[in-house]
Amino acid sequence: MQFRTQIPISKTNNPIDYNSKIISIGSCFAENMAEKFDYFKFQNETNPFGIIFNPISIEKIISRVIKQEFYTEKDVFFYNERWHSYEVHSDLSNSDREELLETLNKAISETYKNLKEATHIIITYGTSWIYRNLESDKIVANCHKVPQKQFSKELLPVDTIQKSIQNMIDLIQVLNPDINFIFTVSPVRHIKDGFAENQLSKSHLFSAVHFNLKSIPRLGENNTKLEYFPSYEIMMDELRDYRFYNEDMLHPNQVAIDYIWHKFSENYIAENSFLTMQEISEIQKSLRHRSFNPDSEQHQKFLAKLQQKISRIEDKWGHIKF
């Protein structure tokens, strides 16, 4: 008797291996997956402009990068003793304006280079709800705790999201026509918007993403360079239990993240990379080992053997460093 659902996932025709170069952009769940890429020492760059939740703000950042539109003084503002940009996350905010501009423009240059060389880009959308600054009439990626009265809150229509995704794809493919896109919708629940509102928001994302997967004429209906990974669906159906959430009951806990990563790796990572992943995992676990007697002969032999394993991996893969 079947007591649980299994989300069917087709194996990709463009798998990720240790020669791949990956860029991950989007919500906080993008960072959860990126931590896995980092742990297994894949070539991965994540959220160079910080966590961004909505499609319009992701498109705006990509457009800046592709067009090399560098930030100037007019793009930042001072509030609560720090300089901010409405286009990026508050993690990048700085008490010094010039340092902020330098950080943002360095991110543009580095992301341009990374996008040009990338084999895969993973886009994780979090919400269709956006905040619009009333003074500038522009959608913001982050409000930086500026008073709510300075913004209007709106739900992006499906066709607006769809066009934004298509614009982003077109921009990136001009720079890198060989890149592979993997889209997903974050399983993190934005309950502060309301329960029904969160579901409505996610449904707009689903509709827009799947429209693009099947209906971009230039790419063709069965284009394998545009793919969808069902992280939200796995969380809602296969992990349908609050024991898979953190204490806030909103974010997937580590068990859930590990499970979703397992499903991702089964279908999106090349089988010939699994042995290397296993070797790296063993090294990572050994590096975290703490001996009760660090000066013992047994521990010194353990360290020597560990160093041999590290050297073997680093010699084989030039980009891997422990």
Side-chain angles (χ1 to χ4, degrees):
M1 186 176 288
Q2 186 78 15
F3 286 105
R4 58 181 295 192
T5 53
Q6 292 283 326
I7 305 297
I9 306 174
S10 300
K11 280 187 176 292
T12 181
N13 292 320
N14 305 291
I16 293 167
D17 60 25
Y18 277 93
N19 292 310
S20 301
K21 295 184 177 180
I22 310 147
I23 294 181
S24 301
I25 295 177
S27 80
C28 51
F29 187 73
E31 306 222 329
N32 294 147
M33 291 293 98
E35 286 173 4
K36 292 294 187 180
F37 281 120
D38 292 340
Y39 177 84
F40 289 106
K41 298 295 182 179
F42 285 93
Q43 299 180 78
N44 177 61
E45 297 293 332
T46 309
N47 280 343
F49 299 90
I51 294 168
I52 301 178
F53 297 99
N54 77 77
I56 300 295
S57 293
I58 292 176
E59 179 204 350
K60 188 182 295 184
I61 283 292
I62 293 296
S63 178
R64 257 199 194 274
V65 169
I66 302 296
K67 296 175 182 178
Q68 296 280 273
E69 295 177 346
F70 292 99
Y71 289 89
T72 64
E73 294 178 2
K74 66 180 176 60
D75 299 311
V76 298
F77 68 97
F78 191 72
Y79 178 74
N80 202 18
E81 300 183 15
R82 291 176 71 80
W83 288 91
H84 312 273
S85 167
Y86 278 131
E87 295 184 11
V88 306
H89 194 270
S90 55
D91 284 349
L92 280 75
S93 298
N94 198 301
S95 58
D96 185 281
R97 182 178 63 184
E98 296 310 312
E99 286 186 10
L100 171 60
L101 290 172
E102 183 179 349
T103 298
L104 294 175
N105 290 329
K106 183 179 179 182
I108 287 179
S109 298
E110 291 181 349
T111 306
Y112 181 90
K113 178 178 181 293
N114 291 333
L115 267 177
K116 193 171 185 179
E117 298 175 353
T119 58
H120 298 77
I121 181 168
I122 303 174
I123 308 289
T124 305
Y125 293 125
T127 183
S128 301
W129 288 103
I130 56 93
Y131 289 88
R132 186 184 300 275
N133 182 268
L134 296 175
E135 182 179 358
S136 65
D137 196 35
K138 291 181 179 179
I139 294 171
V140 304
N142 196 293
C143 294
H144 303 294
K145 298 184 178 179
V146 171
Q148 183 84 29
K149 64 183 180 181
Q150 296 188 28
F151 305 92
S152 63
K153 183 178 179 180
E154 306 169 19
L155 182 68
L156 292 171
V158 173
D159 64 335
T160 299
I161 301 173
Q162 179 266 313
K163 290 173 185 175
S164 176
I165 295 173
Q166 183 171 350
N167 290 341
M168 183 197 66
I169 291 170
D170 290 342
L171 283 165
I172 293 174
Q173 288 201 315
V174 168
L175 180 66
N176 184 349
D178 296 321
I179 198 168
N180 298 286
F181 293 84
I182 301 173
F183 291 94
T184 190
V185 173
S186 170
V188 177
R189 301 188 303 152
H190 292 245
I191 298 304
K192 66 178 182 180
D193 295 320
F195 285 87
E197 290 80 2
N198 173 66
Q199 291 299 98
L200 180 61
S201 165
K202 299 289 188 184
S203 68
H204 281 212
L205 295 175
F206 293 135
S207 297
V209 168
H210 284 283
F211 180 90
N212 279 285
L213 290 175
K214 296 193 176 293
S215 302
I216 296 181
R218 192 165 58 80
L219 295 175
E221 184 171 341
N222 296 315
N223 175 62
T224 57
K225 288 186 178 296
L226 294 179
E227 299 185 83
Y228 178 76
F229 175 66
S231 57
Y232 180 91
E233 292 85 343
I234 292 170
M235 191 73 199
M236 293 298 108
D237 282 276
E238 294 192 32
L239 304 177
R240 193 188 303 195
D241 194 310
Y242 278 109
R243 64 191 161 129
F244 296 114
Y245 285 88
N246 281 333
E247 291 180 358
D248 64 5
M249 298 299 172
L250 303 177
H251 292 77
N253 63 18
Q254 194 59 52
V255 174
I257 291 168
D258 291 346
Y259 182 85
I260 295 172
W261 167 258
H262 174 71
K263 301 290 281 188
F264 180 90
S265 59
E266 276 187 332
N267 297 282
Y268 285 88
I269 293 180
E271 291 184 12
N272 60 12
S273 296
F274 291 160
L275 180 58
T276 301
M277 291 173 67
Q278 182 179 341
E279 292 172 344
I280 288 173
S281 183
E282 290 173 359
I283 291 172
Q284 296 281 38
K285 290 173 183 176
S286 296
L287 287 170
R288 295 175 183 181
H289 173 71
R290 293 293 175 263
S291 173
F292 289 112
N293 188 0
D295 298 324
S296 68
E297 181 180 353
Q298 182 182 11
H299 186 65
Q300 295 308 309
K301 288 180 179 178
F302 167 81
L303 292 177
K305 187 176 181 180
L306 175 58
Q307 188 56 52
Q308 289 177 354
K309 292 180 180 179
I310 291 174
S311 297
R312 187 164 60 247
I313 289 290
E314 290 183 345
D315 289 344
K316 184 177 181 180
W317 303 102
H319 70 274
I320 293 180
K321 301 295 178 188
F322 285 93

